[in-house]
């Protein structure tokens, strides 16, 4: 494995020196062995990586029989009023749960995330309480959720280690639904919504991936990839651009899948003591602009639709 210092020296420094090195983690999914790590328990804002837990709870409800993938998810006025990125449909619009999950994974739609939370939890508040209870159960000791979208809140934090644990849970509990986390595009009313995650488009062996961005966090990504029977999970937080995020993650995955890396620890032995205040990159990324209004700015907005037809992958 190339030492992380070499990766950084190659021009892949993720955050300015004033902020410090940002988190990266590479894990052997079959053993939990850590193959590379940098600031892996440092508190960070998750942005839309939050939606991995939103999807986990929704799919858990499907497994338990409380809902099905055909359950209707109706957008309330509160859901429809969420800031972008969003599907942008009127209150009262309904989608099948499967389609709703696809939209939040492909397009990081905040309005649809709130609608899922309300449908599964009864209210956003109850769903968030369930998110935190599940994080505690899973041993995600450095994570605190405040909403199911990832829109910025100073209190909403996680770390690379906890994100890797959550990806392992998705793979273990919901293997039949992992296509939701690698869908390149969906079509709504004849309009194609593309996944802006370049790894989904062309990384051989990619099983699941989710990106996230708010001004406070920089560009985040979590990936699971499988080749030749070897499965690795990579997490990169705080990259200065989507392109750099992709470049760093490719390097991590390539090295892990090549079996060139030996273990330097195990996830069971690496935990944060508690959720802590996270680095805030808003001044560096977006000046004085409101980060809640700039979620996934590079992804752009989806034009308003007056009706949602079944989605086609």
């Amino acid at each position: 494995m190339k030492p992380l210092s070499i990766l950084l020296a190659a021009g892949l420094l993720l955050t300015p020196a004033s902020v410090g090195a940002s988190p990266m983690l590479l894990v052997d999914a079959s053993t939990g062995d850590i193959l590379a790590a940098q600031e892996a328990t440092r508190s960070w804002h998750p942005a839309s990586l939050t939606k991995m837990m939103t999807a986990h709870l929704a799919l858990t409800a499907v497994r338990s029989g409380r809902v099905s993938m055909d359950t209707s998810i109706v957008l309330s006025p509160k859901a429809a009023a969420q800031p972008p990125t969003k599907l942008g449909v009127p209150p009262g619009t309904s989608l099948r749960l499967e389609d709703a999950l696809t939209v939040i994974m492909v397009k990081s739609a905040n309005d649809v995330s709130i609608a899922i939370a309300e449908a599964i939890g009864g209210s956003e508040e109850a769903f968030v309480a369930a998110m935190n209870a599940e994080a505690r159960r899973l041993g995600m000791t450095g994570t605190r959720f405040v909403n199911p979208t990832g829109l910025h809140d100073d209190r909403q934090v996680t770390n690379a280690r906890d994100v890797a644990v959550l990806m392992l849970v998705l793979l273990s509990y919901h293997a039949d639904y992992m296509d939701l986390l690698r869908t390149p595009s969906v079509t709504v009313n004849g309009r194609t919504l593309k996944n802006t995650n370049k790894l989904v488009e062309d990384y051989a062996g990619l099983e699941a991936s989710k990106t996230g961005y708010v001004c406070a966090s920089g560009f985040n990504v979590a990936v699971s990839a499988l080749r030749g029977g070897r499965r690795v999970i990579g997490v990169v937080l705080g990259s200065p651009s989507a392109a750099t995020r992709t470049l760093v993650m490719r390097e991590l995955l390539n090295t892990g899948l090549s079996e060139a890396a030996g273990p330097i620890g195990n996830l069971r032995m690496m935990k944060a003591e508690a959720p802590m205040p996270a680095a805030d990159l808003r001044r560096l990324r977006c000046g004085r602009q409101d980060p809640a209004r700039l979620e996934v700015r590079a992804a752009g907005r989806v034009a308003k639709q007056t009706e949602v037809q079944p989605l086609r992958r």
Side-chain angles (χ1 to χ4, degrees):
M1 167 98 193
K2 291 181 181 179
L4 289 179
S5 59
I6 294 178
L7 290 177
L8 299 182
L12 304 181
L13 183 64
L14 302 186
T15 56
S18 60
V19 176
S22 64
M24 291 192 285
L25 185 63
L26 181 67
V27 177
D28 184 325
S30 64
T31 63
D33 285 339
I34 297 167
L35 306 178
Q38 175 176 273
E39 300 279 11
T41 59
R42 183 182 181 186
S43 191
W44 210 263
H45 296 300
S48 281
L49 298 188
T50 300
K51 294 180 174 79
M52 293 167 62
M53 179 62 85
T54 302
H56 168 52
L57 290 186
L59 292 171
T60 298
V62 171
R63 287 186 60 186
S64 71
R66 291 198 294 120
V67 297
S68 77
M69 292 300 248
D70 290 323
T71 293
S72 180
I73 305 298
V74 180
L75 272 77
S76 67
K78 177 181 179 179
Q82 294 300 304
T85 292
K86 60 195 291 184
L87 188 59
V89 295
T93 301
S94 65
L95 300 86
R96 295 170 57 249
L97 176 58
E98 182 175 7
D99 294 340
L101 287 170
T102 303
V103 168
I104 71 167
M105 289 301 158
V106 171
K107 201 61 183 178
S108 271
N110 296 316
D111 49 358
V112 178
S113 297
I114 294 293
I116 291 172
E118 292 173 338
I120 302 298
S123 69
E124 180 185 4
E125 293 74 20
F127 189 84
V128 170
M131 294 171 75
N132 285 310
E134 182 68 352
R136 289 191 295 272
R137 187 184 77 83
L138 296 174
M140 297 170 61
T141 55
T143 296
R144 181 192 299 114
F145 293 111
V146 179
N147 60 56
T149 62
L151 284 166
H152 181 66
D153 187 298
D154 285 341
R155 300 166 295 166
Q156 183 143 299
V157 294
T158 191
N159 57 57
R161 181 263 178 196
D162 285 1
V163 172
V165 168
L166 183 53
M167 180 61 84
L168 279 168
V169 167
L170 287 167
L171 293 167
S172 299
Y173 290 11
H174 312 300
D176 291 344
Y177 298 109
M178 284 303 93
D179 60 324
L180 293 170
L181 277 79
R182 57 174 180 260
T183 301
S185 65
V186 295
T187 300
V188 180
N189 288 352
R191 180 187 178 91
T192 299
L193 310 179
K194 292 185 178 181
N195 195 326
T196 59
N197 182 356
K198 299 301 183 183
L199 294 164
V200 169
E201 294 180 2
D202 60 12
Y203 193 81
L206 183 140
E207 290 185 293
S209 182
K210 185 70 189 81
T211 58
Y213 172 81
V214 291
C215 293
S217 71
F219 290 83
N220 302 337
V221 65
V223 178
S224 171
L226 174 67
R227 285 187 205 160
R230 183 173 176 86
R231 175 180 285 123
V232 297
I233 291 171
V235 180
V236 173
L237 305 178
S239 186
S241 69
T244 301
R245 173 181 66 190
T246 299
L247 184 61
V248 173
M249 181 56 76
R250 283 185 190 276
E251 182 72 22
L252 286 176
L253 295 177
N254 288 343
T255 304
L257 291 169
S258 72
E259 302 190 40
I264 59 174
N266 192 279
L267 281 181
R268 293 188 299 272
M269 306 302 294
M270 175 190 284
K271 289 185 179 181
E273 291 186 4
M276 300 294 291
D280 188 338
L281 307 184
R282 280 178 289 184
R283 183 180 297 275
L284 297 169
R285 297 282 169 258
C286 304
R288 297 180 180 178
Q289 299 179 72
D290 178 3
R293 300 287 169 177
L294 294 170
E295 167 100 18
V296 200
R297 183 166 66 176
R301 295 189 63 172
V302 179
K304 276 197 171 186
Q305 306 289 327
T306 58
E307 180 183 6
V308 173
Q309 303 294 337
L311 302 181
R312 300 188 299 280
R313 297 186 188 90

